[in-house]
Amino acid sequence: QLQLVESGGGLVQPGGSLRLSCTGSGGRLESYAVGWFRQAPGKERDQIACITSVTSEEVTYYDDSVWGRFTIRRDNSRNAVFLQMTSLKLGDTAVYYCAVNQFHYCSGQWSSWGQGTRVTVSS
């Protein structure tokens, strides 16, 4: 079955950048919509970015909190999806997760959650 591994988190100063990776094994990520989520301690897990798997009509979505700062993209040769984060703010501090949606869209049932990678934005 498909398994996902997140990586790329770390400590970064406000205004800095990080690139997170979601790498799949046991299945092809290009067959799924892929979402990025984040969860701060004691808070609900929120979807922040997503990319669909619709043939000839790939679409990306972003939460308002990250719009214009984060970019999601695929690298199918590496069976991976990246989240490029720029202009990081203190409020971006969270554990970041990726997941897939077998129905090809960015809402509904998510599965194959990874273990998460921690991002800490601090001076």
Side-chain angles (χ1 to χ4, degrees):
Q1 69 274 29
L2 177 66
Q3 293 181 305
L4 303 178
V5 176
E6 301 95 338
S7 62
L11 176 65
V12 64
Q13 296 183 28
S17 300
L18 283 175
R19 188 185 74 169
L20 305 184
S21 299
C22 176
T23 303
S25 61
R28 297 294 303 176
L29 290 188
E30 61 188 324
S31 299
Y32 304 89
V34 179
W36 280 98
F37 303 75
R38 67 185 181 186
Q39 187 170 26
K43 304 296 183 181
E44 186 178 78
R45 186 178 300 187
D46 295 321
Q47 184 181 121
I48 57 170
C50 179
I51 185 166
T52 69
S53 61
V54 180
T55 302
S56 301
E57 197 174 338
E58 189 173 81
V59 178
T60 58
Y61 297 93
Y62 300 95
D63 184 78
D64 288 344
S65 65
V66 306
W67 188 91
R69 301 188 296 119
F70 291 11
T71 302
I72 187 171
R73 65 179 179 87
R74 295 183 183 271
D75 185 345
N76 291 332
S77 68
R78 297 178 60 185
N79 200 27
V81 173
F82 300 116
L83 184 68
Q84 180 66 53
M85 307 186 296
T86 63
S87 302
L88 284 162
K89 305 175 180 179
L90 297 181
D92 296 321
T93 296
V95 177
Y96 286 70
Y97 301 87
C98 59
V100 298
N101 190 324
Q102 66 180 6
F103 300 110
H104 314 298
Y105 302 101
C106 291
S107 63
Q109 191 171 67
W110 295 93
S111 61
S112 301
W113 295 92
Q115 84 290 345
T117 185
R118 182 175 298 275
V119 173
T120 302
V121 184
S122 177
S123 300

